[in-house]
Amino acid sequence: EVRIINCRHKIELVLALSKICQSLKIEPGDSGVIAARRTRMPIVIQNGCDDVCSFCITRVARGRHQNVANREIILQINKALELGVREVILTGINLAAWGTDHTRKRPAGARLHQLLADILDRTGIPRIRLSSLGPQYLGDGWFDVFTSSRICDHLHLSVQSGSDSVLRRMLRNHGTREVLEVCARARAGYRAAQ
């Protein structure tokens, strides 16, 4: 049975799931439990968000933006590799904002590209996949690292509308120009790397 849960009940659902995780002693980022039987494993690198998008309840449900420490991420990836995992999927509520201390006030502080460079240098994981990325956080360094053959050629941008007026009303912190620019730069970098 499929049910649609309205925003009013999402908080209750998140709180109930949080209690279940606490009772099972599952911490955010604990993914070693599932690694033993998989070749692909999600690695949580970030949680929460400081943005105030008009449609979103994440700030209430997950709290402020928090980065998982670089050394912890590297440790989890190397442990996954030892267990036979061949691909990690970096995940987070606001994944591309990894490294900044405040997603809304300092988006230019995002350092996902530095984390990716460290993962490439300090692990032997053959494939790195990125989950949904906010286009407003993808600066110059990201495009340089994205072309690595170990980073999957998959780009999922978090775009809720193709209309600038709708994006403004949603308080999204980016417009269609930024999305198109990210797509063009990613394509150009990918073609140049071929």
Side-chain angles (χ1 to χ4, degrees), residues 17 41 45 55 69 73 78 89 105 115 131 157 171 188 194:
L17 288 172
M41 185 172 96
I45 69 164
F55 60 90
I73 295 165
N78 282 327
I89 305 131
K105 292 179 183 173
L115 174 63
S131 64
L157 296 177
L171 304 174
Q194 294 297 318

Side-chain angles (χ1 to χ4, degrees), residues 57-127:
I57 191 131
T58 298
R59 288 176 304 116
V60 175
R62 298 289 178 99
R64 295 203 53 214
H65 169 81
Q66 303 164 53
N67 300 302
V68 175
N70 182 312
R71 67 185 174 285
E72 177 61 29
I73 295 165
I74 301 291
L75 182 70
Q76 285 185 48
I77 292 172
N78 282 327
K79 188 184 295 185
L81 189 59
E82 288 173 16
L83 293 169
V85 170
R86 309 301 298 157
E87 178 179 314
V88 293
I89 305 131
L90 302 184
T91 67
I93 297 299
N94 207 343
L95 179 71
W98 186 90
T100 189
D101 62 345
H102 197 285
T103 59
R104 186 167 185 82
K105 292 179 183 173
R106 287 176 285 288
R111 299 286 179 256
L112 180 61
H113 63 286
Q114 290 175 349
L115 174 63
L116 290 171
D118 282 350
I119 292 170
L120 292 168
D121 288 343
R122 298 172 54 200
T123 76
I125 196 77
R127 289 185 308 275

Side-chain angles (χ1 to χ4, degrees), residues 6-39:
N6 65 33
C7 285
R8 187 179 67 222
H9 297 301
K10 285 182 183 176
I11 294 175
E12 295 166 17
L13 179 62
V14 168
L15 292 174
L17 288 172
S18 294
K19 286 181 184 177
I20 291 169
C21 288
Q22 287 173 353
S23 70
L24 295 173
K25 298 187 180 358
I26 297 172
E27 296 290 328
D30 277 357
S31 45
V33 177
I34 61 169
R37 292 203 171 124
R38 292 202 164 171
T39 59

Side-chain angles (χ1 to χ4, degrees), residues 84-179:
V85 170
R86 309 301 298 157
E87 178 179 314
V88 293
I89 305 131
L90 302 184
T91 67
I93 297 299
N94 207 343
L95 179 71
W98 186 90
T100 189
D101 62 345
H102 197 285
T103 59
R104 186 167 185 82
K105 292 179 183 173
R106 287 176 285 288
R111 299 286 179 256
L112 180 61
H113 63 286
Q114 290 175 349
L115 174 63
L116 290 171
D118 282 350
I119 292 170
L120 292 168
D121 288 343
R122 298 172 54 200
T123 76
I125 196 77
R127 289 185 308 275
I128 303 160
R129 187 175 302 275
L130 304 170
S131 64
S132 183
L133 301 168
Q136 67 270 37
Y137 303 106
L138 302 178
D140 292 335
W142 184 84
F143 294 98
D144 296 334
V145 128
F146 180 64
T147 59
S148 167
S149 62
R150 290 171 52 201
I151 296 179
C152 296
D153 58 349
H154 165 262
L155 180 60
H156 178 183
L157 296 177
S158 177
V159 180
Q160 279 68 33
S161 176
S163 163
D164 283 329
S165 66
V166 171
L167 290 169
R168 273 191 303 276
R169 289 193 309 269
M170 295 172 97
L171 304 174
R172 285 297 293 158
N173 292 329
H174 68 79
T176 57
R177 181 182 54 78
E178 290 88 348
V179 174

